[in-house]
Each structure stands twice: as structure tokens, then as C-alpha cells.
Amino acid sequence: MADDKDVLRDVWFGRIPTCFTLYPDEVTEREAEPFYLLLPRVSYLTLVTDKVKKHFLKVVKTEDVGEMWFEYEGTPLKWHYPIGVLFDLHASNTALPWSVTVHFKAFPERDILHCSSSSVIEAHFMSSIKEADALKHKGQVINDMQKKDHKQLWMGLQNADKFDQFWAMNRKLMEYPTEEGGFRYIPFRIYQTMSDRPFIQKLFRPVSPEGHVLTLGDLLKEMFPAAICQDDEPKKYQVVIHGIEPLFETPIQWLSEHLSHPDNFLHICIIPSPSD
Amino acid sequence: MTHLTRCVEMSDDGVLDPGHFHLDEKSFRFCCQSFLQHSDLLSDGWSWTEVKGSEGFMKKTVLRPRRNSPLKTEALDFMTEEEKVEEEEEEDAQVECEKQDVVVYEYHVLYSSSYQVPVLYFTASTLDGRLLSLEEVWNSVHPDCRTQLLNEPWNTLTQQEHPVLGQPFFMLHPCRTEEFMQPILETARREKRRINYVVTWLSVVGPMVRLVVPVSYCTVPDQNRV
């Protein structure tokens, strides 16, 4: 369907207007102007912030410069989650632009992964794709690809305008035998801010043993039943993917094919409903 | 049914099933329970951490003298076995040295439902709490186990988020586990030997990051045979 291809484009070109400010304690030589950027939802913070780094390094004393990291309202941001997930999880229902604080000191190494070079991001991205394919096809599709095919996926992610290049390869990771009605298991992660655990990730098939197509609602019923409210109670949670709340009736296989991030995982954020 | 027999049955149901060399989550638990029983006998220091509403993991903390030979120079490979033993002994003698010379390793064995195999996570820090960097950890990998690391460091050992604790840990990538377990399990099957998947797997991957599994885990008859 032509419409469905448009969904892939909309997801790929999703942007979040963001305002970066330097952590006040780190300003030294002169005042740092904030820096504004449109961040791709499907990318990673450390992959798209070279300009931010350059901008603030002009005003920070060289001896104070450690590894750059980001924080939103006191929470260190995990760069290895896609940008859209960080925004949906921590800053949904807040005013735009998203206000992110930049640090060059006191790297919180007990909370976030180091990211010394783009090789670290590439390794993380490829290992997510591999894990997703282990779930979808027992790893057979990704293992049958050549090194240059892996590179094509990674290069695609690095350049926002490489939608076609990325999807020419990613298409293969989205295939499945028609008679099975979907992937072996759906690669998904459910995040909530209120939990001790970073995310929920379990095995879930797109089709029931009786042959019924399973939906987002079925997934939530099993993994996080509190997200589904009864008719007579007020809505407690929002279930957000790429900034929208998909209908619970949406087949999970369709979501996996169309709303997954380039890492091939369907990232689902569960956040408290705004209390207005 | 005892945990023990269940673990052994796993060998029949799962591992002995032709073409399948993975481990389901229940079998993982039983293998771990059997592993922990033997650890208690040896006072080997392993314990189980239960996680609310979910799977748990096996854990062990060890203090070791620092070993740091850069990844690129393979000097240690030219030593004779005797020299290696001497060097190890020297290292052991230095345990009482400065804080920077002792590394605290915390090993966690988790189950990966995606790959259906166990996965080894660990942290390494100095006594004053500084975490070792990825480069330091790569450099500390045992020289005998470096081939894979030198070929594909980013597919072998990297920093990852601990899936239960949400904190940065180092992880030995699980995507090759099924591949190297296959011949071991096939041989065991041919020779009609029962094996504990977790024991076998950990004795292969552990030494790479200085985690040694005493041989008695594999030889205790009650644990591995009916």
C-alpha cells in the first residue's frame, strides 16, 4: 500500500526541535549562547551533536573538557536509546523546544555508557539489529548479509537523506514467510520512567497459536496490563511510539514493520497521562 | 521433580534435539541452581540475585591483581608455559599492593531471551571505585583468548546497559554462543555424556575475562550424570 510507505518516511524524517544550554557551573570565559538544532528522532544524541560540542567548546576552559554528556531536568540522558525514545519518555507533553543541558565535567559513568567515538555507536546500532534479527529470523537474514550491507545500514542512519539507501537494505530484515503471518518474535522494548528496570523485553509472537492476529493491546495486556484502562476509569497512562498514541487494535506485526526504529526494535514508551 | 533431574532432562529435551543448541529460560534456571549447589560446596562465591517479577541472575565478585598488556603487543605469547606460571605467581604476590593495582571484578550471568543462551556481563573497577575503561578491559583480556577480540573487537566485548539494573556493564557478545556450543554439545551427545550448559559455556567464555571455572564443576558425577 502506498500509504504504508509514507509512514516509513514520516518516521524517518521525524524531528525534535531542541535547545542545548551549557550547565551553568561550566561556563567560564564568557557566556555561552544556547544552541538550537532539529534532532532526528531515529538517530542517537552522540551521533548528531558535533556542532553542539564545537559551539560550547569555544567558551569552556580546555582543562575542564571531559567527555560530553546530556541531561534533562536532572536525569542523565542515555545516548544509546534513540533520540525520539528519550524525548517521549522524559519530555512528552512539555513545551517545545526540548531543553537539554550539556555537560563536559563529572561524566556519570555509573548511569550512562561511554561514547568515545562513532565506532561505539555503530557497534551498539549493529548489535541491536542483530538481536532484533535473532528474534525475527533466528539471525538468518543479518548473517546472510555481507559486511558492505551492514555498512549500508549504518551509513543510512548517519545521513538523514539516505532514506532510500537504508530501506533498500532494511527491507530484507522486514521480510517473513507469508504463511506464518509475521516474524518469529516481535523485537520490542517497553520503557517507563517509574520503573527500577530499564525496560521490559520478552518473547512475543505476532500471531496467537489459534491463528489470531495479535495487537498492541494484546502485547500490553501481557506485559503491562495497567496501561489498559477499564471503560469507567480515567486514563492513567499514555502509550507512545514516535510521539503518537497508536490505537490498541493495531496489529503488532504492522507496528513492528512500520514504526520500528532503524535498530529494528519497536520502542514503546508508557508515560503517566497529563493531569490537566 | 528435583532441580537436578530437571537440569539433566534439559539435555534430553532441549540440547539433544537435533539442530537446536540453545537453552530455554527454565533450563537456564535449573542449570544455574545446579551450578550454585556446587559453588556452595567449593565456597566458590557464586550467588543468585532474584529480580522482582522477572528473571534473576548469577553473580560473583572477585579481587584480582591488575594485568595489563596492550592488545597490540603479543609479548606474552612468546613466553613458555613456565614463564607464564611464574608471572601469574608474581602477580599473586603483589595482591597487597596499591589500590590501583587491584581490580574488583563483578561477574553476572544473565539469560538472553533473544538469543536463548546465557550471557556474561561484568564490571571491573579499582578499589577506590574508578571503573576500568573499555580499552583497559580489552588490554586485560587473556592473551590466549585474543584472536576473536583482535579480529572483531566491537562484536566481541563492549560496554552495554545491564538489562536488569540499567547500569553500564561490559558484555561478551552472545551472537556466537550457539555456534561454539554446537560442536561441544554434539560430542557430548555422541558420547552419551550429560553436561550442564551453563558450566560448559562459562568454562569456555569465562577465561577470556579472567573468570576461571574449577574443573570439578564438570566432573562431579552427581551433578552431571543420572
Side-chain angles (χ1 to χ4, degrees), chain A residues 44 82 124-125 128-130 132 166 260-267:
Chain A
Y44 298 96
H124 169 72
F125 175 66
S128 300
I129 290 190
K130 272 187 200 166
F166 175 82
S260 284
H261 274 264
D263 68 3
N264 276 250
F265 271 85
L266 187 62
H267 297 271

Side-chain angles (χ1 to χ4, degrees), chain B residues 74-120:
Chain B
E74 295 295 291
L76 280 176
D77 275 352
F78 299 109
M79 287 186 188
T80 64
E81 281 304 311
E82 242 167 74
E83 282 171 336
K84 279 187 194 173
V85 171
E86 273 170 28
E87 171 149 325
E88 296 273 339
E89 282 168 357
E90 268 171 36
E91 281 184 1
D92 287 343
Q94 290 169 357
V95 174
E96 299 299 324
C97 290
E98 290 168 45
K99 282 182 178 174
Q100 283 291 334
D101 292 336
V102 176
V103 178
V104 184
Y105 283 87
E106 187 174 313
Y107 299 102
H108 290 192
V109 171
L110 277 79
Y111 181 71
S112 161
S113 57
S114 303
Y115 290 101
Q116 297 186 282
V117 295
V119 188
L120 183 59

Side-chain angles (χ1 to χ4, degrees), chain B residues 136-149:
Chain B
E136 286 174 295
V137 168
W138 279 354
N139 287 338
S140 72
V141 164
H142 196 285
D144 291 349
C145 310
R146 280 184 181 177
T147 321
Q148 166 74 11
L149 186 64

Side-chain angles (χ1 to χ4, degrees), chain B residues 156-175:
Chain B
T156 307
L157 203 182
T158 57
Q159 205 186 24
Q160 300 265 336
E161 180 178 23
H162 190 296
V164 174
L165 303 177
Q167 294 160 358
F169 267 64
F170 297 108
M171 183 192 79
L172 281 173
H173 285 225
C175 47

